[in-house]
Amino acid sequence: MNTFPLISVIIPVHNGERFLAEAIQNIRYQNYPVLEIIVIDDGSTDKTAEIAAQFHSEIHYVYQPNQGPAAARNTGIKLAQGEFIAFLDVDDLWADSVLLNFTDYSMKHPEIEIVQGLIQRMQWDGTVPNEHSAEFTPIFQPYQFINLGSALYRRSVFNKVGLFDELLWYCEDTDWFFRSWELNISKTVLPQVMLFYRKHDRNMTLQHKDLVHFGWLKIFKRRIDRARARSDRGEPPLQQTVQLLDYLGQSPD
């Protein structure tokens, strides 16, 4: 067991009573021997706290007033003790054994700071789920794109890139990956599905599509501002070693 580095898994949740138990069980079934599971309850008003209490001996549960997903993840990072950090949104799931496989690759390649897998989009079938699960069907082929849950991160990478921008309630993950790309943070994509990204009626991005589009505009504005600030300081522009689309990947829709 001592040969396995500690992984801190951060689950941000806001009113996720429908999915929380399944997400925690999914992490436990990874059979990774040294895990720290951190559940950040971002102001839930449903039974999230009650469900989390059922796992009190297996998780670190923290409640905070509703501040958005970026703030919830940042709280988790600050609490995390692991050499590696992973994120799992409460309504998504991981494929079997991905933590073992991705950690093994990371330990053999210490120069790689982010190991990413592929995403399998899953669509809710529209029926009313029972209290234990909902039915999801795979759509599209597995693909690489921006999704924090599809990668394993060295803890040290957050010292270089920084935390998530808490002013962004949407696209904060995209903003972080932009900053990572600008700094030439090394990233490898393994041809293996890591994340089952589950789309359903309560997805935050589906309910607020206009705000998501506005979030993209904010991200590009922040990138321009960073470039201008470097110029004002008399610093040369950053030179990226990888094209942006190759680094980020592309959504199938």
Side-chain angles (χ1 to χ4, degrees):
M1 184 177 296
N2 291 334
T3 63
F4 293 92
L6 176 65
I7 298 177
S8 298
V9 182
I10 298 168
I11 307 176
V13 53
H14 175 70
N15 291 340
E17 64 179 7
R18 184 198 293 184
F19 300 109
L20 180 58
E22 188 179 15
I24 295 172
Q25 295 284 19
N26 176 249
I27 296 168
R28 294 174 64 222
Y29 292 157
Q30 288 289 314
N31 292 320
Y32 190 85
V34 278
L35 278 176
E36 176 186 44
I37 302 175
I38 304 172
V39 176
I40 306 298
D41 184 346
D42 191 45
S44 295
T45 57
D46 62 359
K47 296 181 179 179
T48 289
E50 296 177 32
I51 294 170
Q54 299 172 15
F55 300 90
H56 66 92
S57 64
E58 302 170 71
I59 67 173
H60 183 180
Y61 170 82
V62 176
Y63 177 89
Q64 66 182 29
N66 184 229
Q67 301 172 52
R73 293 189 181 103
N74 287 345
T75 298
I77 293 170
K78 293 171 186 176
L79 293 171
Q81 300 297 310
E83 180 181 347
F84 291 90
I85 290 178
F87 302 94
L88 184 65
D89 284 355
V90 69
D91 48 359
D92 294 336
L93 297 174
W94 280 331
D96 294 341
S97 300
V98 291
L99 292 185
L100 283 169
N101 294 343
F102 282 43
T103 305
D104 180 64
Y105 184 92
S106 295
M107 298 303 287
K108 291 177 179 176
H109 300 84
E111 75 283 2
I112 301 299
E113 297 172 276
I114 302 173
V115 178
Q116 188 175 14
L118 302 180
I119 302 165
Q120 175 61 67
R121 180 81 63 85
M122 307 291 289
Q123 183 64 49
W124 180 47
D125 68 3
T127 60
V128 177
N130 61 36
E131 61 178 328
H132 301 294
S133 65
E135 293 297 324
F136 290 87
T137 302
I139 58 174
F140 306 123
Q141 293 297 311
Y143 61 95
Q144 171 205 349
F145 194 49
I146 303 157
N147 193 309
L148 293 168
S150 68
L152 182 68
Y153 309 81
R154 294 188 188 276
R155 180 187 177 86
S156 57
V157 78
F158 294 96
N159 296 328
K160 299 176 182 179
V161 181
L163 299 176
F164 298 101
D165 187 339
E166 297 185 9
L167 296 178
L168 293 171
W169 280 53
Y170 303 91
C171 302
E172 76 290 343
D173 50 354
T174 306
D175 173 72
W176 191 89
F177 270 105
F178 263 68
R179 288 186 277 137
S180 175
W181 169 72
E182 290 172 10
L183 296 174
N184 290 312
I185 298 297
S186 56
K187 179 166 78 75
T188 290
V189 180
L190 302 183
Q192 172 188 352
V193 170
M194 178 175 185
L195 182 71
F196 294 105
Y197 174 40
R198 305 200 295 182
K199 304 285 281 186
H200 54 86
D201 60 325
R202 297 184 189 176
N203 278 132
M204 187 172 173
T205 52
L206 287 181
Q207 294 176 349
H208 304 283
K209 288 184 177 180
D210 291 342
L211 294 177
V212 172
H213 295 155
F214 184 55
W216 274 92
L217 294 177
K218 287 184 176 180
I219 289 168
F220 282 108
K221 175 64 164 54
R222 279 163 166 72
R223 170 158 164 72
I224 293 170
D225 289 344
R226 288 192 294 271
R228 286 175 174 167
R230 288 187 62 84
S231 177
D232 291 343
R233 294 192 299 266
E235 300 174 6
L238 294 172
Q239 299 295 322
Q240 280 69 50
T241 58
V242 179
Q243 294 295 316
L244 180 61
L245 285 180
D246 292 334
Y247 195 85
L248 300 183
Q250 189 169 358
S251 173
D253 55 358

